[in-house]
């Protein structure tokens, strides 16, 4: 099992390039099967989740040609099978986007029902409600969701909860339904907009993405396109907090600063300097940071995917902070790990009370999930001494060349595959 060994204490300094947005790419790759023409996608992040989705797509007959590590050409004219294997959905929940895409194009999809996951129970009732309102018959049999329709028709759909996944999935199916569909109470995340822009570049007629009402006039056919994915705002935010927690100075490049506003606002509030450029942000932390309160909310609120990164940073700030998680119920598992590094934290329900300590100490900790794993890396980089992070497979799901990018900023971090390799690195840096 791979691990990270980290010796903390170095401020991160330098420049880092952000990759394409994983969560946008998951929707866009699925949507790409909706045409028989060839589609080329650029700025694809080279991370595990994306590679698994591409494999799932190949398994149903999509021809995938890797042009480079960040560019792929796909043709879906010969999809022989609208049934996706459980093996893929087990590894990556977002393969459920194939339901909306297959249903829109072929009016039939069979995809395993995704289970819970590490950050909490994750129902997909709203996705299914949307498909039903579009005229699909949806049944659950032997662990599979089977959605089928003679024709998909227009609908007026109100989402009870703001859901990124439901918004994207329903939007895909509605793009090829007959008539005019309105989805209300939509998620407004940048990746919802990116998937809508992508579908429009294939000939769909979607308006209002980025607001809470999306209006879709269905089309019969979509065509090929070439499309670059937006930068990953969560990867960018992770490096911004890594700069803050290590009292560093990092220029985070290839970003859309507007997408980072909630993160930037919190960094300013706790005493960082943040300078915005056209497609970069520079974060400088020159003194001990202050406390704040934060509550996760749908975009443009503070993202739940950035909650652990601010949590670990506040563990070193002066004063007491309150972090409230309002999206997923199980996103504080990293707090126990942080306590092992000397943090003063208490979790009560969906609230964490964090009283900053002067220093954290290196320890052996485990990544409980993707974002919490990245946050523990930040904690280890800011801590005194050596830390070992287990279960980094979670981190690799969503961060491209994480350790290489951190090393280029001066971090002492090594990915090791055995106890022997770990000891060798520790000897070298001790
Ligand atoms: C997406 C992101 C994930 C991020 C989350 C919230 C992807 C691949 N993943 O996940 O990284 O943390 O948005 O920004 O883009 N809900 C229901 N019923 C449903 C669907 C959702 O009750 O049918 C609830 C969920 O339990 C949760 C809330 O809605 O409390 C938001 O979830 P949602 O936005 O759907 O998250 P995902 O799309 O799964």
């Amino acid at each position: 099992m791979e691990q990270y060994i980290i010796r903390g204490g170095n401020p991160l300094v330098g420049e880092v390039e952000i990759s394409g947005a994983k969560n946008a790419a998951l929707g866009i790759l699925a949507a790409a099967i909706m045409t028989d023409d060839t589609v080329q996608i650029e700025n694809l992040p080279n991370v595990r989740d994306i590679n698994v989705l591409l494999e799932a797509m190949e398994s149903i007959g999509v021809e995938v040609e890797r042009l480079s590590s960040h560019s792929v050409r796909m043709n879906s004219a010969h999809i022989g099978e609208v049934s996706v294997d459980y093996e893929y959905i087990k590894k990556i929940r977002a393969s459920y986007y194939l339901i909306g895409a297959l249903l829109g194009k072929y009016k039939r999809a069979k995809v395993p029902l995704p289970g819970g996951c590490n950050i909490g129970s994750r129902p997909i009732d709203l996705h299914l409600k949307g498909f039903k309102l579009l005229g699909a018959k949806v049944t659950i049999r032997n662990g599979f969701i089977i959605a089928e329709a003679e024709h998909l028709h227009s609908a007026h759909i109100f989402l009870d909860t703001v859901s990124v996944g439901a918004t994207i999935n329903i939007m895909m199916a509605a793009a090829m339904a007959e008539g005019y569909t309105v989805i209300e109470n939509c998620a407004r995340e940048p990746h919802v907009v990116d998937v809508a822009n992508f579908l429009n570049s294939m000939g769909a007629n979607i308006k209002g993405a980025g607001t809470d009402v999306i209006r879709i006039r269905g089309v019969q056919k979509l065509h090929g396109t070439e499309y670059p994915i937006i930068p990953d705002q969560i990867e960018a935010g992770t490096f911004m907090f890594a700069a803050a927690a290590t009292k560093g100075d990092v220029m985070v490049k290839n970003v859309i600063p507007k997408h980072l506003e909630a993160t930037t606002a919190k960094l300013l509030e706790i005493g960082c300097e943040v300078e915005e450029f056209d497609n970069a942000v520079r974060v400088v932390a020159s003194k001990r940071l202050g406390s704040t309160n934060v509550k996760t909310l749908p975009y443009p609120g503070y993202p739940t995917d950035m909650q652990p990164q601010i949590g670990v940073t506040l563990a070193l700030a002066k004063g007491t902070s309150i972090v409230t998680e309002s999206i997923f119920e199980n996103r504080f598992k990293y707090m126990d790990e942080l306590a092992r590094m000397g943090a003063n934290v208490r979790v009560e329900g969906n609230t964490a009370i964090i009283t900053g300590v002067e220093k954290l100490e290196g320890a052996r900790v485990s990544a409980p999930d993707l974002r919490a794993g990245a946050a523990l890396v930040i904690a280890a980089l800011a801590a005194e001494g050596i830390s070992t992070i287990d279960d980094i497979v979670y981190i690799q799901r969503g961060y491209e060349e994480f350790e290489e990018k951190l090393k280029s900023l001066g971090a002492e971090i090594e990915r090791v595959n055995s106890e022997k390799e770990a000891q060798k690195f520790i000897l070298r840096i001790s």
Side-chain angles (χ1 to χ4, degrees):
M1 276 307 204
E2 290 190 320
Q3 301 167 316
Y4 283 142
I5 311 287
I6 294 170
R7 187 171 72 173
N10 296 353
L12 296 189
V13 177
E15 295 183 353
V16 65
E17 283 280 337
I18 297 307
S19 300
K22 169 186 81 83
N23 287 347
L26 292 167
I28 286 172
L29 287 178
I33 70 161
M34 296 179 73
T35 174
D36 283 346
D37 295 346
T38 297
V39 170
Q40 189 166 319
I41 297 164
E42 305 288 343
N43 202 30
L44 196 67
N46 189 12
V47 295
R48 194 159 293 191
D49 271 11
I50 296 302
N51 295 324
V52 173
L53 182 60
L54 284 171
E55 275 173 43
M57 291 167 65
E58 278 182 300
S59 79
I60 57 170
V62 179
E63 286 165 30
V64 176
E65 186 191 348
R66 280 277 188 180
L67 302 174
S68 72
S69 54
H70 297 124
S71 170
V72 73
R73 195 179 286 152
M74 293 166 38
N75 186 285
S76 306
H78 305 291
I79 290 184
E81 182 66 80
V82 293
S83 171
V84 180
D85 210 274
Y86 183 54
E87 189 195 330
Y88 301 109
I89 203 113
K90 220 171 42 182
K91 288 191 195 151
I92 159 196
R93 279 180 54 83
S95 17
Y96 60 42
Y97 283 142
L98 291 170
I99 312 177
L102 289 167
L103 183 65
K105 185 180 182 193
Y106 297 106
K107 315 295 176 238
R108 186 177 152 76
K110 185 175 171 205
V111 175
L113 189 64
C117 77
N118 291 356
I119 60 174
S121 115
R122 293 176 79 173
I124 60 159
D125 54 311
L126 294 174
H127 307 226
L128 304 187
K129 169 179 151 176
F131 299 145
K132 285 181 195 160
L133 287 169
L134 289 170
K137 185 169 154 240
V138 181
T139 45
I140 295 176
R141 235 177 291 143
N142 305 114
F144 280 83
I145 299 163
I146 301 165
E148 48 201 340
E150 283 283 313
H151 305 283
L152 292 177
H153 56 65
S154 64
H156 196 122
I157 300 166
F158 188 91
L159 299 176
D160 309 275
T161 305
V162 177
S163 158
V164 172
T167 303
I168 292 178
N169 228 343
I170 297 167
M171 183 171 77
M172 288 195 291
M176 293 189 81
E178 284 168 21
Y180 189 63
T181 294
V182 178
I183 315 175
E184 302 221 39
N185 200 26
C186 293
R188 291 177 281 169
E189 267 69 1
H191 44 294
V192 174
V193 180
D194 211 29
V195 178
N197 287 343
F198 171 72
L199 283 163
N200 284 341
S201 80
M202 293 203 298
N205 185 347
I206 301 172
K207 296 206 166 82
T211 74
D212 56 4
V213 184
I214 298 183
R215 297 183 162 84
I216 304 159
R217 186 165 298 283
V219 296
Q220 282 192 337
K221 225 173 151 197
L222 295 171
H223 55 70
T225 185
E226 213 179 299
Y227 192 85
I229 290 171
I230 53 166
D232 196 310
Q233 87 260 26
I234 305 299
E235 187 198 9
T238 302
F239 279 97
M240 290 164 80
F241 272 106
T246 61
K247 298 207 185 71
D249 177 349
V250 176
M251 180 74 91
V252 184
K253 295 171 83 175
N254 183 34
V255 299
I256 299 174
K258 170 95 189 122
H259 295 168
L260 299 167
E261 275 176 352
T263 299
T264 300
K266 280 296 156 197
L267 286 166
L268 289 170
E269 220 176 288
I270 61 177
C272 293
E273 291 162 47
V274 183
E275 214 179 331
E276 281 186 10
F277 301 87
D278 284 350
N279 52 8
V281 287
R282 179 179 173 201
V283 178
V284 184
S286 42
K287 54 180 193 300
R288 188 173 180 206
L289 300 173
S291 59
T292 189
N293 297 334
V294 60
K295 181 176 182 181
T296 61
L297 286 170
Y299 189 86
Y302 189 87
T304 173
D305 285 355
M306 286 298 302
Q307 183 262 103
Q309 298 87 325
I310 194 169
V312 299
T313 306
L314 293 174
L316 283 163
K318 193 164 182 287
T320 297
S321 304
I322 297 176
V323 178
T324 307
E325 173 55 61
S326 77
I327 312 284
F328 294 113
E329 73 270 23
N330 208 359
R331 263 201 135 158
F332 282 136
K333 278 199 265 180
Y334 72 95
M335 287 289 179
D336 287 340
E337 304 296 300
L338 202 54
R340 306 186 63 238
M341 300 176 85
N344 182 353
V345 291
R346 200 172 80 235
V347 175
E348 287 177 9
N350 71 340
T351 300
I353 300 136
I354 305 169
T355 302
V357 293
E358 294 266 353
K359 63 181 172 75
L360 293 173
E361 283 174 359
R364 183 164 185 163
V365 293
S366 286
D369 59 68
L370 166 60
R371 306 300 172 186
L376 288 171
V377 170
I378 297 178
L381 291 169
E384 280 181 12
I386 293 175
S387 296
T388 302
I389 319 258
D390 289 321
D391 296 332
I392 63 168
V393 63
Y394 287 117
I395 302 173
Q396 291 161 345
R397 281 184 39 205
Y399 287 90
E400 177 170 343
E401 297 189 340
F402 197 38
E403 66 275 15
E404 284 83 355
K405 290 186 185 185
L406 288 167
K407 268 186 201 167
S408 77
L409 297 171
E412 287 182 89
I413 176 169
E414 190 79 2
R415 177 159 47 106
V416 298
N417 214 346
S418 65
E419 196 55 34
K420 207 168 136 203
E421 269 182 46
Q423 286 312 326
K424 220 166 99 189
F425 180 68
I426 291 170
L427 266 180
R428 181 145 61 82
I429 58 175
S430 311

